[in-house]
Amino acid sequence: MLNRRQFTQGFAGVVATASIAGCSTGRAAAPVSAASTPGRTSFASLKQIKAGPLDIGYAEDGPANGQPVILLHGWPYDIFAYVDVAPILAAAGYRVIIPYLRGYGTTTFLSADTVRNGQQATTAADLVALMDALHIDKAVLGGYDWGGRTVTSVAALWPERVKAAAMVSGYLLNNLKAQQQPLAPAAERGWWYQYYFATDRGEAGYRQNVHDFNKLIWQTASPGWKFSDATYDRSARSFTNPDHVAIVIHNYRWMLSLAPGEAQYDAIEQKLQAAPPITVPAITIGSDFDGAAIDGKAYRNKFTGRYEHRIFRGIGHNVPQEAPQDFAKAVMDADRL
């Protein structure tokens, strides 16, 4: 998961109650959890490409000449969050690309000397590098959690590369100054793992127990999603990436200003810290995970272009895997705004 301050009333409430009802505004949806229907177990194709500092693994589906759609996962998830979304978009004529983020699956570093950096500017730069390597000038972007943060970053700083965007939990950027402000005790409890990761014990504990740790996060962030052990284990294989723990630990320490970023990303980071608006067409999605912020009002003014907000009740944090049809529709509708 991602941002303490943005999800204060969301994740903390999920922990406390296992179910949250929010205010309903904008266009609301009532999707059925994907857990109630059999899902796909594989992608049309898996590929690798060198882009920036990485050799990026990615799934691809749909016609090669279709409108590109790039979908980005979060922590602790992987590309299989979109295993049921991809064929829906492919059938509609889109070229669907789903990369493993740095530290996941088959995405690896080209150099052993590269800093294992998880700050938000890196995944934004990684996405732009991937688009360059694939010769994609402009794409529709979709994402949640770290992926939503990456979509927000690229849409804000490189709007010429983004045709439209679909983002779960809305405008996701980590403001380092805001992260220093304490929250109410109940809200702080919801982010226990971020404080755990700030310690040497937490890093060792995550490294030793990554499989069970991340399964606990899945259960906590999506209490109504009855995923199978096979579904979880399929994604958990991505966490055996040799850089996974280092990337995750750095990300959360960086968010709390306990670890530095890299100078080469300072220009990007300075722009992101200014919280620039999203000018491209966008649809944001609120789910039960967002709690009282489900209505999207908290970030409405950050979207200055054509815009809609949708509410998915009965759905937890992993929106595309829990509600693939509704998420795919949001991506397509964003493209049509």
Side-chain angles (χ1 to χ4, degrees):
M1 269 87 63
L2 200 45
N3 189 315
R4 292 168 58 242
R5 301 206 64 81
Q6 286 167 311
F7 293 155
T8 295
Q9 295 172 305
F11 183 63
V14 171
V15 172
T17 68
S19 180
I20 293 179
C23 301
S24 177
T25 64
R27 181 180 296 183
V32 176
S33 173
S36 64
T37 58
R40 295 176 180 261
T41 59
S42 62
F43 289 98
S45 65
L46 297 172
K47 301 179 178 180
Q48 294 286 140
I49 191 167
K50 291 179 173 59
L54 302 172
D55 184 1
I56 297 177
Y58 65 100
E60 183 167 352
D61 201 350
N65 62 350
Q67 166 62 51
V69 172
I70 303 177
L71 304 174
L72 298 148
H73 67 84
W75 174 84
Y77 308 96
D78 81 330
I79 64 174
F80 280 96
Y82 297 103
V83 71
D84 292 310
V85 173
I88 298 172
L89 295 176
Y94 289 95
R95 179 190 180 192
V96 186
I97 297 162
I98 310 166
Y100 285 109
L101 297 183
R102 52 170 58 197
Y104 295 80
T106 62
T107 292
T108 57
F109 286 87
L110 298 175
S111 171
D113 296 328
T114 303
V115 177
R116 274 39 179 176
N117 181 346
Q119 71 180 102
Q120 61 191 359
T122 62
T123 54
D126 291 346
L127 176 54
V128 173
L130 174 64
M131 293 176 67
D132 289 344
L134 292 171
H135 305 290
I136 295 173
D137 293 328
K138 182 175 287 193
V140 178
L141 304 181
Y144 70 107
D145 197 82
W146 290 25
R149 179 179 68 175
T150 302
V151 171
T152 302
S153 300
V154 174
L157 299 189
W158 292 276
E160 71 280 2
R161 306 299 298 270
V162 182
K163 189 171 187 286
M167 303 125 88
V168 176
S169 299
Y171 187 90
L172 291 180
L173 287 182
N174 298 135
N175 182 286
L176 297 182
K177 184 177 181 180
Q179 291 284 102
Q180 297 301 305
Q181 301 303 311
L183 306 175
E188 295 283 19
R189 181 180 64 171
W191 306 108
W192 64 272
Y193 63 90
Q194 296 191 13
Y195 305 119
Y196 184 61
F197 288 162
T199 67
D200 290 341
R201 173 180 172 143
E203 180 176 1
Y206 187 57
R207 190 176 301 278
Q208 180 177 330
N209 300 297
V210 65
H211 180 280
D212 292 347
F213 191 106
N214 288 347
K215 191 172 187 178
L216 174 64
I217 296 296
W218 276 40
Q219 293 165 338
T220 306
S222 298
W225 181 33
K226 306 306 179 185
F227 58 88
S228 67
D229 287 343
T231 294
Y232 175 74
D233 289 342
R234 181 180 61 194
S235 288
R237 288 192 286 270
S238 295
F239 312 145
T240 63
N241 181 294
D243 301 305
H244 176 77
V245 173
I247 295 292
V248 170
I249 295 298
H250 181 269
N251 172 76
Y252 289 108
R253 290 183 180 180
W254 172 83
M255 283 171 53
L256 295 175
S257 297
L258 298 175
E262 286 183 88
Q264 70 186 80
Y265 298 108
D266 282 353
I268 296 174
E269 198 59 62
Q270 288 171 6
K271 293 176 182 178
L272 294 176
Q273 292 303 307
I278 304 296
T279 60
V280 304
I283 289 178
T284 56
I285 297 167
S287 72
D288 288 358
F289 179 84
D290 299 305
I294 196 173
D295 60 14
K297 291 181 179 179
Y299 46 76
R300 174 62 185 90
N301 66 351
K302 302 306 297 183
F303 295 86
T304 60
R306 296 187 296 279
Y307 175 79
E308 290 182 11
H309 180 72
R310 299 183 180 183
I311 295 172
F312 291 6
R313 298 191 182 278
I315 299 299
H317 190 39
N318 188 2
V319 169
Q321 197 162 3
E322 296 178 62
Q325 292 184 350
D326 295 272
F327 184 86
K329 187 175 188 301
V331 171
M332 293 186 285
D333 288 349
D335 184 34
R336 299 175 185 130
L337 283 179

